[in-house]
């Protein structure tokens, strides 16, 4: 609902003023990322470079001991004064400004940072300095009660982080300089390990950023009065100011009517947007090649200047764009561009059905390219249409004024995709070739891929399966150009990182066990093939039981053969994520293809997983009882206090995530909606005794088949354990390895199984040989048939 208010000066009517607070800030996220990186670096140094850290700290203690007593006391008292002064100044300034809630957040951040630092000291840091101080007989002078310790530093940093968004730039700079001085003083006058400062600083940044994310921080968007003052200083006389909802390129937009009656558009960029772009560039710099990373500007002013330059060049070249008038900045650091309003409205998909508009769009692109400009973001949102049906172009923020052939091809590919989504590849290609010519259109084939498209276009393409392939085929046929290889845009694929990480973890997990390599080789030399064939048969049997269980989890009847193929294909899809995430996604997709609604499909997959979890727990308890021990292969079952502590930590973490607005809106709410929609499916499953029998019978069958497979593998190398011992060791090892962030628990499961078997008394060589053979039969060998099933299902539209 649009509401109007009048400013105190000159009765300027303002519509839709910006919010005073924002629930989510890219600046806070950036600060949180930096804090986590600093914290991780501090803990990593403390763990991996203990001797070096201890030596550096000993040198600092020795150096401080040689200072005269007067200088020593002056340093100590100065640090104490600074530690007390910093939070007090921030608190007093906020109280004077009557920001009571922010003052409360300040105290909360300091308290949480103090607790986090104490926990880090206990769990992650090694204390060696107390011994050094005792040897030097200096504990009396540098007692923790006399000097600010690391937990105080962490609290101080957290409080400054929370206070900063509400303070002026001068006050923020003063407080951060004071923090820097305090850190230097704390480093010189060593009372606790000096490199604890890295951890303390990281914890302060992290806790302060989390508090701001949970409770919100002030918006960096200028208030109406601030923007009006800036516009007046630039010579405008705004009478009506209205905030636009258009945010497709990340910029804020206002429209205002000048005293002369002329309408203008303000493109506004805030410091928070710059931080968001920095995060995006970090990510894209790691994953993508340099051509896919946007230009970095020294300031918001430079970015606005670039957009103004391209806007002027494009208009000079005959492209219909808004007429540039002026650039400026607000008091709090936002930068803006003012242009005359175009007599046009945003383009819609209905507009693209007009052949004359399609031709005009391509003529605008041809004029832009002729002027040596590539737009680099020609999604539908970049165009407007006037009353005459002519196209106007905007959003030149990402444009390049010295483009290479790749960037020109990207423009053609994006607009070709946008138009093909509405009028089809045939008509879209025909119009593009008529205006640009065959060569220009054929050159775009290499960029007709999802990663080359803007986010909005990519989102529209996603539901339309195969549209890009159809466009490439149509272009190749119309231009007589041979099929080309798509440009490689990614530097590192996420799947490659996952495989590297999993392989590294597996190598280091198995390395200690492979130290007894000769025993393993000897055990393989005496293997009995018949038992190994039994393990292979049990592995195949797990997929039959998985099919039965999955059929029981779905209210609608499922054919056995396609469901069996889906279970086999899931063994391959499970490689793309930990804890079987890829397999879950594949089976959910399979259900959708056979007509099960998405919510019900997700509920069915969840029910199947829960049944498997229950079967695993029940059988694990049973095998442990039969094995006659609560100490399973060297793994002692946790006591109640440990379980309670873990549960408390998990609940606290979940509570923090739910308290963060964006997480609650984007994750919790959709998840809860899915659960509610799928609840009917769950009830339908449990109203049928046959389905319940299939669900739990199949789940128990899967687990028992795996136990049989590992029993066969142990017997193949001479045995040595009873079936209950083997079952208990295997099921406990699976439970422990389930938290490993690798596909199928790779590396972690092997290590846990070997440790459990040897804990029960099995020889090292037999334990390693049996484990590796079991994993070969149940994890590695099924990958090939899984890949074949996956491709077959894709070709036959079962996925």
């Amino acid at each position: 609902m649009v509401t109007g208010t009048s400013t105190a000066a000159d009765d300027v009517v303002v519509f839709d003023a910006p919010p005073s607070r924002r629930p989510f800030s890219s600046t806070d996220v950036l600060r949180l990322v930096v804090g986590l990186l600093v914290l991780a670096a501090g803990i990593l140094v403390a763990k991996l470079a203990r001797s070096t850290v201890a030596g550096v700290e000993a040198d600092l203690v020795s150096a401080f001991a040689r200072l005269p007593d007067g200088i020593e006391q002056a340093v100590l008292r100065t640090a104490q004064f600074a530690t007390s002064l910093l939070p007090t100044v921030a608190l007093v300034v906020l109280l004077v400004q009557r920001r009571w809630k922010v003052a409360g957040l300040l105290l909360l951040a300091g308290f949480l940072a103090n607790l986090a630092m104490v926990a880090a000291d206990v769990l992650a840091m090694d204390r060696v300095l107390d011994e050094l101080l005792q040897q030097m007989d200096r504990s009396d002078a540098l007692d923790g009660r006399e000097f600010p310790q690391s937990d105080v530093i962490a609290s101080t940093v957290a409080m400054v982080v929370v206070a900063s968004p509400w303070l002026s730039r001068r006050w923020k700079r003063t407080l951060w300089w004071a923090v820097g001085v305090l850190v230097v003083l704390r480093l010189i006058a060593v009372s606790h390990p000096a490199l604890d400062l890295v951890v303390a600083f990281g914890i302060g940044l992290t806790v302060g950023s989390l508090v701001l994310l949970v409770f919100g921080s002030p918006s960096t968007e200028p208030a109406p009065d601030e923007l009006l003052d800036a516009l007046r200083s630039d010579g405008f006389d705004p009478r009506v100011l209205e905030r636009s909802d258009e945010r497709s390129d990340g910029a804020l937009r206002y429209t205002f009517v000048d005293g002369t009656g002329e309408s203008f558009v303000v493109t506004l960029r805030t410091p928070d947007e710059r931080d968001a772009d920095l995060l995006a560039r970090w990510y894209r710099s790691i994953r993508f090649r340099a051509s896919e990373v946007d230009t970095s500007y020294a300031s918001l002013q430079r970015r606005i200047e670039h957009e103004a330059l391209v806007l002027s060049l494009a208009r000079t070249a005959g492209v219909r764009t808004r007429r540039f008038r002026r650039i400026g900045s607000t008091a709090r650091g936002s930068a803006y561009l003012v242009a005359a309003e175009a007599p046009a409205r945003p383009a819609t998909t209905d507009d693209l059905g007009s052949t004359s508009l399609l031709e005009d769009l391509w003529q605008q692109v041809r004029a832009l390219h002729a002027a040596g400009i590539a737009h680099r973001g020609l999604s539908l949102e970049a165009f407007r249409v006037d009353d005459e049906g002519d196209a106007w172009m905007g959003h030149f923020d990402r444009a390049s004024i010295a483009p290479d052939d790749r960037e020109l091809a990207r423009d053609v590919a994006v607009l070709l995709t946008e138009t093909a989504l509405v009028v089809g590849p045939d008509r879209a290609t025909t119009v593009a070739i008529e205006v640009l010519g065959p060569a220009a259109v054929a050159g775009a084939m290499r960029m007709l891929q999802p990663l080359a498209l803007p986010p909005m276009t990519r989102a529209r393409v996603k539901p339309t399966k195969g549209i890009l392939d159809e466009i490439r085929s149509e272009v190749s046929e119309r231009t007589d150009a041979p099929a080309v290889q798509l440009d490689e845009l990614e530097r590192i694929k996420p799947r490659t990182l996952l495989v590297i990480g999993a392989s590294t973890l597996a190598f280091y997990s198995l390395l200690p066990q492979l130290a007894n390599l000769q025993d393993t080789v000897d055990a393989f030399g005496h293997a009995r093939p018949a038992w190994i064939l039994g393990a292979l048969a049990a592995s195949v049997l797990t997929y039959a039981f998985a099919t039965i269980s999955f059929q029981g989890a779905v209210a609608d009847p499922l054919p056995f053969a396609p469901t069996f193929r889906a279970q086999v294909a899931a063994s391959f899809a499970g490689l793309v994520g930990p804890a079987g995430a890829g397999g879950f996604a594949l089976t959910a997709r399979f259900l959708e293809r056979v007509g099960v609604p998405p919510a019900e499909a997700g509920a069915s997959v969840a029910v199947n997983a829960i049944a498997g979890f229950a079967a695993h727990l029940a059988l694990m308890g049973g095998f442990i009882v039969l094995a006659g021990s609560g100490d399973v292969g060297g793994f002692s079952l946790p006591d109640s206090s440990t379980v309670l502590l873990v549960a408390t930590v998990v609940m606290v973490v979940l509570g923090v995530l739910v308290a963060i607005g964006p997480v609650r809106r984007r994750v919790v709410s959709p998840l809860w909606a899915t659960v509610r929609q799928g609840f009917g499916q769950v009830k339908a499953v449990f109203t049928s005794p046959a389905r319940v029998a299939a669900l739990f019978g199949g789940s128990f069958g899967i687990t028992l088949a795996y136990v049989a497979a590992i029993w066969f593998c142990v017997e193949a190398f001479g045995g040595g354990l009873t079936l209950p011992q083997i079952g208990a060791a295997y099921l406990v090892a699976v439970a422990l390895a389930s938290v490993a962030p690798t596909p199928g628990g790779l590396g972690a499961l092997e290590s846990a199984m070997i440790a459990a078997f040897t804990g029960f008394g099995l020889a090292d060589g037999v334990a390693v040989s049996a484990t590796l053979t079991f994993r070969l039969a149940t994890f590695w060998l099924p990958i090939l048939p899984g890949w074949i099933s996956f491709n077959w299902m894709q070709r036959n539209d079962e996925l």
Side-chain angles (χ1 to χ4, degrees), residues 135-279:
Q135 293 173 4
M136 300 175 59
D137 194 23
R138 296 197 53 82
S139 296
D140 56 339
L142 299 178
D143 190 275
R145 292 170 296 179
E146 297 185 21
F147 191 84
Q149 301 176 3
S150 297
D151 53 352
V152 179
I153 304 294
S155 299
T156 301
V157 173
M159 295 175 75
V160 172
V161 168
V162 172
S164 292
W166 280 272
L167 301 177
S168 66
R169 187 177 303 178
R170 180 175 300 177
W171 270 113
K172 284 191 290 187
R173 188 181 298 116
T174 300
L175 288 179
W176 281 114
W177 270 108
V179 168
V181 172
L182 175 60
V183 168
V184 172
L185 293 174
R186 172 66 175 76
L187 186 64
I188 294 174
V190 182
S191 64
H192 276 248
L195 292 185
D196 270 16
L197 281 173
V198 179
V199 177
F201 197 82
I203 286 177
L205 285 177
T206 301
V207 171
S209 301
L210 282 174
V211 169
L212 291 176
L213 283 173
V214 171
F215 294 98
S217 56
S219 174
T220 58
E221 183 178 349
D225 287 342
E226 181 182 350
L227 182 57
L228 289 171
D229 290 342
L231 291 173
R232 290 191 184 104
S233 67
D234 288 335
F236 296 100
D237 182 22
R239 311 306 303 169
V240 178
L241 181 67
E242 183 175 359
R243 188 168 183 260
S244 172
D245 293 331
E246 184 182 352
R247 290 292 303 268
S248 59
D249 61 345
L252 295 166
R253 284 187 171 79
Y254 282 84
T255 60
F256 72 88
V257 178
D258 196 56
T260 61
E262 187 176 2
S263 296
F264 295 93
V265 176
V266 179
T267 301
L268 181 72
R269 298 194 180 274
T270 66
D272 188 48
E273 183 189 347
R274 187 184 181 196
D275 292 333
D277 291 338
L278 180 60
L279 283 172

Side-chain angles (χ1 to χ4, degrees), residues 419-555:
T419 55
L421 286 170
V422 178
V423 302
D426 184 2
R427 186 177 168 195
T429 304
T430 299
V431 176
I433 292 175
E434 288 177 355
V435 178
L436 297 184
V441 177
M445 283 196 295
R446 57 179 179 155
M447 298 299 285
L448 283 167
Q449 53 180 306
L451 292 178
L453 304 177
M456 301 294 287
T457 306
R458 190 159 57 244
R460 285 187 282 269
V461 166
K462 190 174 182 180
T464 311
K465 187 176 181 181
I467 184 69
L468 295 178
D469 294 332
E470 295 178 19
I471 298 174
R472 285 194 297 269
S473 176
E474 192 68 33
V475 170
S476 178
E477 180 180 346
R478 294 297 185 90
T479 61
D480 294 327
V484 298
Q485 184 176 0
L486 298 179
D487 278 8
E488 191 68 34
L489 304 181
E490 287 182 299
R491 190 193 309 272
I492 300 176
K493 292 181 172 62
R495 184 177 299 181
T496 302
L497 289 177
L498 183 62
V499 171
I500 292 174
S503 302
T504 303
L505 179 60
F507 174 76
Y508 281 103
S509 299
L510 291 175
L511 191 59
Q513 307 299 335
L514 296 179
N516 299 320
L517 184 59
Q518 187 58 48
D519 294 339
T520 304
V521 173
D522 293 341
F524 269 111
H526 297 87
R528 292 179 284 182
W531 292 99
I532 296 178
L533 292 177
L536 293 174
S539 177
V540 174
L541 198 59
T542 60
Y543 293 97
F545 281 122
T547 303
I548 295 172
S549 175
F550 195 68
Q551 286 179 314
V554 183

Side-chain angles (χ1 to χ4, degrees), residues 5-17:
T5 60
S6 298
T7 64
D10 301 328
D11 284 336
V12 177
V13 179
V14 179
F15 293 94
D16 282 347

Side-chain angles (χ1 to χ4, degrees), residues 749-772:
L749 179 57
E750 288 85 348
S751 299
M753 288 176 63
I754 293 169
F757 288 147
T758 55
F760 270 122
L762 193 63
D764 291 345
V766 176
V768 173
S769 301
T771 298
L772 295 182

Side-chain angles (χ1 to χ4, degrees), residues 104-424:
L105 293 180
L106 217 66
L107 299 177
L108 175 64
F111 174 72
L112 294 177
N114 187 283
L115 288 183
M117 190 62 209
V118 171
D121 284 343
V122 174
L123 299 176
M125 305 300 295
D126 294 323
R127 293 302 185 189
V128 296
L129 195 62
D130 290 340
E131 299 177 4
L132 293 171
L133 294 176
Q134 290 174 4
Q135 293 173 4
M136 300 175 59
D137 194 23
R138 296 197 53 82
S139 296
D140 56 339
L142 299 178
D143 190 275
R145 292 170 296 179
E146 297 185 21
F147 191 84
Q149 301 176 3
S150 297
D151 53 352
V152 179
I153 304 294
S155 299
T156 301
V157 173
M159 295 175 75
V160 172
V161 168
V162 172
S164 292
W166 280 272
L167 301 177
S168 66
R169 187 177 303 178
R170 180 175 300 177
W171 270 113
K172 284 191 290 187
R173 188 181 298 116
T174 300
L175 288 179
W176 281 114
W177 270 108
V179 168
V181 172
L182 175 60
V183 168
V184 172
L185 293 174
R186 172 66 175 76
L187 186 64
I188 294 174
V190 182
S191 64
H192 276 248
L195 292 185
D196 270 16
L197 281 173
V198 179
V199 177
F201 197 82
I203 286 177
L205 285 177
T206 301
V207 171
S209 301
L210 282 174
V211 169
L212 291 176
L213 283 173
V214 171
F215 294 98
S217 56
S219 174
T220 58
E221 183 178 349
D225 287 342
E226 181 182 350
L227 182 57
L228 289 171
D229 290 342
L231 291 173
R232 290 191 184 104
S233 67
D234 288 335
F236 296 100
D237 182 22
R239 311 306 303 169
V240 178
L241 181 67
E242 183 175 359
R243 188 168 183 260
S244 172
D245 293 331
E246 184 182 352
R247 290 292 303 268
S248 59
D249 61 345
L252 295 166
R253 284 187 171 79
Y254 282 84
T255 60
F256 72 88
V257 178
D258 196 56
T260 61
E262 187 176 2
S263 296
F264 295 93
V265 176
V266 179
T267 301
L268 181 72
R269 298 194 180 274
T270 66
D272 188 48
E273 183 189 347
R274 187 184 181 196
D275 292 333
D277 291 338
L278 180 60
L279 283 172
R281 281 199 302 274
W282 281 0
Y283 169 75
R284 296 185 68 85
S285 297
I286 295 173
R287 181 181 175 187
F288 296 99
R289 298 182 182 274
S291 61
E292 303 306 301
V293 182
D294 291 340
T295 304
S296 176
Y297 298 100
S299 64
L300 287 176
Q301 191 82 5
R302 295 291 177 267
R303 182 174 180 176
I304 287 291
E305 289 173 356
H306 169 79
E307 187 170 359
L309 173 62
V310 178
L311 189 65
S312 300
L313 292 175
R315 187 174 179 85
T316 302
V319 180
R320 295 189 198 94
T321 65
R322 292 171 173 142
R323 179 167 51 88
F324 165 69
R325 285 293 301 271
R326 190 176 180 87
I327 59 176
S329 60
T330 65
R332 291 196 299 164
S334 297
Y336 61 83
L337 179 153
V338 180
E341 176 64 289
R345 55 173 175 78
T348 64
T349 53
D350 294 337
D351 294 323
L352 297 183
S354 168
T355 301
S356 60
L357 179 62
L358 288 179
E359 293 175 348
D360 192 53
L361 288 174
W362 286 113
Q363 289 168 358
Q364 296 298 300
V365 172
R366 182 178 62 185
L368 191 70
H369 288 182
I373 302 172
H375 191 282
R376 300 184 73 243
L378 279 178
S379 62
L380 181 63
E381 290 72 19
F383 292 99
R384 300 174 72 84
V385 180
D386 61 21
D387 294 337
E388 303 297 327
D390 294 329
W392 290 66
M393 192 180 296
H395 299 182
F396 289 98
D397 175 62
R398 300 182 64 238
S400 172
I401 56 176
D404 54 18
D405 293 340
R406 179 199 295 256
E407 300 302 338
L408 298 177
R410 185 197 306 273
D411 280 357
V412 178
V414 173
L415 187 54
L416 197 57
T417 303
E418 288 281 11
T419 55
L421 286 170
V422 178
V423 302

